[in-house]
Amino acid sequence: MSRVAAPTGAKTRLMSEMKALRKEKWINFEDDEQESILKWRFGLMVINSDSPFNGGYFKAEMTFSDEYPYQPPKFRFLIPITHPNIYPDGQLCISILHKPGEDMMSGEEASERWSPLQGAESVLRSVLLLLDDPEINSPANVDAGVMYRDARPEYLKRAADTVERSKKDVPAGFDMPSSFEAAPPPKQENDDDFWAASDEEEFDFGGSDTGEDDEEEMDDFEEGEDEEDEDDEDDDEDRRH
């Protein structure tokens, strides 16, 4: 794909990616039709009992350039979140959103940064992981990083408050998932009528069938016994004479 064809290619790829993401439970596109395929708005859900942000419904947006996927998208939350890797304006400090190639200044390797092999879903899953497990060595929000490190109970309280505020953004009639795992199929109960019927029937579990062949074999066996009896009587008669 040439760079000249990138604008059309970007939109085609983004339409395909959005179609796949609409099937996921952890993201909700509130509008059936987005204003522009280059700008997404959605709710990102955290359903992880181990996460400080468990139960949150966080409105966010992603914007893409005509050079996508050669250049990374931009991401930002539309609700204030106290987190070591989130700037006050909602943007993130995360490697996957940085331009392709190694960065000697930051020490980031090319494999950690954006590449055309990545996609919108890769970014969103990385964001969810970052919410659960922040990187405090190079924080975007220094105060949040210190709080996370030295005052964890306060950090957890801030996160819980943010989750409660976020629930006000849940669309009317939308059911927040309690789990991302598919529900197991219902357990099939024993059918008493089936077992009752089976008591009245005879089942063949692979034994030989009975029929005319068996009757013929039994007749041959009985005839053989009669002939042996007759021979024994003749022998006894000969010995008497």
Side-chain angles (χ1 to χ4, degrees), residues 55-120:
Y57 182 95
F58 301 119
K59 281 197 168 185
E61 70 177 17
M62 290 182 73
T63 55
F64 306 83
S65 73
D66 287 338
E67 293 185 273
Y68 181 83
Y70 299 106
Q71 295 298 325
K74 294 180 179 179
F75 177 99
R76 75 182 183 100
F77 284 109
L78 302 180
I79 179 176
I81 300 177
T82 300
H83 185 283
N85 307 116
I86 301 178
Y87 291 102
D89 64 355
Q91 295 192 57
L92 271 68
C93 179
I94 185 172
S95 297
I96 195 174
L97 292 177
H98 295 165
K99 291 182 178 181
E102 293 185 0
D103 185 345
M104 300 299 295
M105 297 296 293
S106 67
E108 291 178 344
E109 297 181 0
S111 60
E112 300 175 289
R113 297 162 68 91
W114 178 260
S115 81
L117 298 178
Q118 306 281 8

Side-chain angles (χ1 to χ4, degrees), residues 132-187:
D132 298 347
D133 188 17
E135 172 56 59
I136 63 174
N137 291 329
S138 56
N141 185 329
V142 176
D143 292 338
V146 173
M147 187 186 304
Y148 180 85
R149 184 190 63 194
D150 300 334
R152 190 67 60 87
E154 176 64 20
Y155 176 82
L156 296 176
K157 183 179 183 304
R158 292 280 190 95
D161 292 343
T162 302
V163 169
E164 289 304 312
R165 291 200 311 272
S166 75
K167 291 180 179 179
K168 297 178 182 178
D169 292 328
V170 177
F174 179 78
D175 293 328
M176 280 282 290
S178 58
S179 171
F180 292 143
E181 299 294 332
K187 183 178 180 181

Side-chain angles (χ1 to χ4, degrees), residues 4 6 8 13 21 26-27 29 33 62 76 98-99 144 148 154 161 171-173 176 197 199 206 216 227 235-236 240:
V4 175
T8 302
R13 174 163 167 168
L21 281 167
W26 45 270
I27 184 172
F29 291 92
E33 296 291 339
M62 290 182 73
R76 75 182 183 100
H98 295 165
K99 291 182 178 181
Y148 180 85
E154 176 64 20
D161 292 343
M176 280 282 290
D199 292 338
E216 292 177 358
E227 292 176 355
D235 291 340
D236 292 340
R240 284 196 295 271

